[in-house]
Amino acid sequence: MITRLRQRAHENRYEIERALAPHVDERWAESFLLELRLQGVGGDDIGQALAEVDSHVAESGTPADVAFGDPAAYARSLELPQSEQQAGRSVLQMLLPNAVSFAGMMLAITSAPAVARQEDLSLTWGILTAVALGIAVITALLRWTDPVVRAVVNHPFRAWLASMAAIAVVVAPSVAGLTTDLVLSREAVHMSALPVLVAGVLAVLVVAAWNLRPSELVEDPVVPPLPAAGAGAGGRRRQPTKGRGAAIVVALSTPVATVALVAVSWWAATR
Amino acid sequence: MDEIQPWPSDWLRGVLEVCVLRVLADGPTYGYAITAALAEGGLGTTKGGTLYPLLKRFEAAGWVSTEWRPGDGGPGRKYYDLTDAGRAVLHERSAQWLAFSRATSRFVAHAAPGGTRQHSTEDSTEHGTTEARR
């Protein structure tokens, strides 16, 4: 079963490259496509560039790395324009809902114990500091999106470690507030807990629903310049199922995590 | 024009622009056909990685218009055609190039084997001092 899964994963991995550039080495085409995506080039332009490479390779008989050299260098030399969709502002609009979702998750988790014990919510300075740090991190990500995306793509494991470390740093003040008797543990805000819990959960659910809209899951697909012979209607291709699956997992990760963490803190509070 | 040895790449880099414009002047054509025409003309093999960024610059500058056409039995081809602006640039650059190459050829003529024989009458007086110094 593992080999079959791995086989399917391999078949799906180069689906776009094989469809648009069947004569080009798959790994070359994938690197080329990825570099263009990282530059924010639109799906139409990427499709054209890829088709032109394919056409040249097919007719000349020379492989892509001989005729075009390093795929990332060639992609940069084309100096293709960024698409409207990929421009910085729209990336911001894309990430803002996730910032709201994160804030909602934090609110839900911190208010759940208070609701469980039927007390008022007492927010310590530690928690407020943690929220402020979280907002600062997200703002930094919004500001420097391109370098961050590039780093994540090129070094996924290091990026994962860095994000775990960042989460630890953000959460640390609130944990420290619970355990020690510093300023962080002193109360800053005193309010009714249930509305905060409800607001947090609502924020998370609304953002998740927003991210799961069908149009959100298919963004600026790479299209060939001419409809492929016998491929049916026009230029729009169905997004490969692998991409859509990943988008759904990402959209659901925060709500699932929120539910889990709220349940855990509720249980811990009532013990 | 024998091309047993490839031309020095920095020479080609300078002249490729005007040569590609010249190929395009003969009518709408596509990338691979352009490399074939250049090779036929004795300019050696032009790599896709060199040609297509150049064509993209032409497109961005408005010197060519482009059109995708289905290939014969193979993948589709992107055809490039000179615009009026492109034609004007071609005329200007080719005139410049001819003047440039005439000047440089005359300058180095004595160094090449058989050069003195071809240009002896014309250039011995002009470059008499250079000869004496050498």
Side-chain angles (χ1 to χ4, degrees):
Chain A
M1 190 187 109
I2 302 285
T3 34
R4 211 151 35 90
L5 279 175
R6 218 184 269 162
Q7 241 184 340
R8 271 203 64 211
H10 189 262
E11 281 165 33
N12 290 338
R13 175 174 176 178
Y14 297 116
E15 200 175 311
I16 297 181
E17 290 84 0
R18 288 214 196 105
L20 265 75
H23 301 90
V24 180
D25 174 64
E26 307 165 323
R27 281 160 301 171
W28 195 98
E30 186 191 57
S31 302
F32 181 57
L33 203 144
L34 186 61
E35 179 63 30
L36 289 175
R37 271 288 188 220
L38 285 174
Q39 286 178 358
V41 177
D44 287 337
D45 284 339
I46 297 182
Q48 283 207 15
L50 203 48
E52 204 164 29
V53 170
D54 183 58
S55 177
H56 188 96
V57 166
E59 290 200 52
S60 67
T62 45
D65 54 351
V66 172
F68 292 90
D70 174 60
Y74 174 61
R76 284 191 288 270
S77 72
L78 287 174
E79 294 182 355
L80 292 171
Q82 277 197 339
S83 84
E84 288 287 302
Q85 282 185 292
Q86 308 283 345
R89 192 174 298 269
S90 61
V91 173
L92 244 104
Q93 286 173 345
M94 214 167 61
L95 289 185
L96 201 56
N98 294 323
V100 169
S101 173
F102 172 78
M105 182 172 84
M106 291 303 295
L107 286 177
I109 295 170
T110 50
S111 58
V115 174
R117 291 193 285 248
Q118 294 179 328
E119 291 169 352
D120 276 342
L121 178 63
S122 159
L123 289 176
T124 62
W125 283 112
I127 291 174
L128 290 181
T129 315
V131 169
L133 278 177
I135 291 174
V137 167
I138 290 178
T139 313
L141 284 179
L142 294 180
R143 171 77 176 72
W144 290 290
T145 317
D146 281 338
V148 170
V149 169
R150 218 172 264 277
V152 169
V153 167
N154 288 330
H155 308 282
F157 183 65
R158 271 181 248 175
W160 180 84
L161 282 178
S163 56
M164 290 296 118
I167 291 174
V169 165
V170 168
V171 170
S174 51
V175 173
L178 290 174
T179 54
T180 63
D181 196 30
L182 304 171
V183 135
L184 291 175
S185 65
R186 271 192 251 135
E187 180 184 289
V189 172
H190 195 96
M191 61 195 289
S192 167
L194 191 56
V196 177
L197 176 61
V198 169
V201 169
L202 264 180
V204 168
L205 290 177
V206 163
V207 171
W210 176 265
N211 284 337
L212 285 170
R213 286 177 306 154
S215 59
E216 279 296 300
L217 297 176
V218 181
E219 268 187 20
D220 197 17
V222 175
V223 288
L226 295 171
R236 288 276 132 185
R237 286 174 58 81
R238 189 178 63 81
Q239 183 86 338
T241 38
K242 184 199 95 168
R244 194 142 23 92
I248 292 177
V249 166
V250 168
L252 287 176
S253 60
T254 312
V256 167
T258 308
V259 168
L261 291 170
V262 164
V264 164
S265 54
W266 187 288
W267 175 86
T270 51
R271 270 266 148 243
Chain B
M1 263 201 256
D2 228 24
E3 38 133 357
I4 299 168
Q5 282 175 344
W7 303 113
S9 56
D10 34 352
W11 294 5
L12 283 175
R13 220 173 291 140
V15 81
L16 195 62
E17 188 187 72
V18 65
C19 288
V20 170
L21 286 171
R22 174 63 189 87
V23 172
L24 289 168
D26 289 337
T29 183
Y30 60 101
Y32 180 66
I34 297 175
T35 61
L38 290 170
E40 243 173 90
L43 286 152
T45 323
T46 316
K47 295 206 177 151
T50 319
L51 177 66
Y52 291 102
L54 187 69
L55 290 170
K56 198 75 203 165
R57 273 203 295 117
F58 289 179
E59 198 181 348
W63 296 350
V64 291
S65 60
T66 62
E67 184 193 357
W68 275 92
R69 299 187 201 167
D72 359 288
R77 298 172 182 149
K78 188 173 181 182
Y79 276 76
Y80 298 83
D81 193 15
L82 274 188
T83 59
D84 292 333
R87 251 168 244 284
V89 173
L90 169 61
H91 290 321
E92 182 191 323
R93 294 281 162 93
S94 46
Q96 258 187 321
W97 173 260
L98 288 171
F100 178 71
S101 57
R102 243 180 257 127
T104 46
S105 302
R106 205 174 296 145
F107 196 79
V108 301
H110 298 294
T116 31
R117 223 179 294 139
Q118 287 177 17
H119 300 277
S120 53
T121 20
E122 195 186 319
D123 292 331
S124 55
T125 33
E126 273 184 62
H127 299 278
T129 33
T130 333
E131 282 268 56
R133 247 186 263 134
R134 272 205 275 117

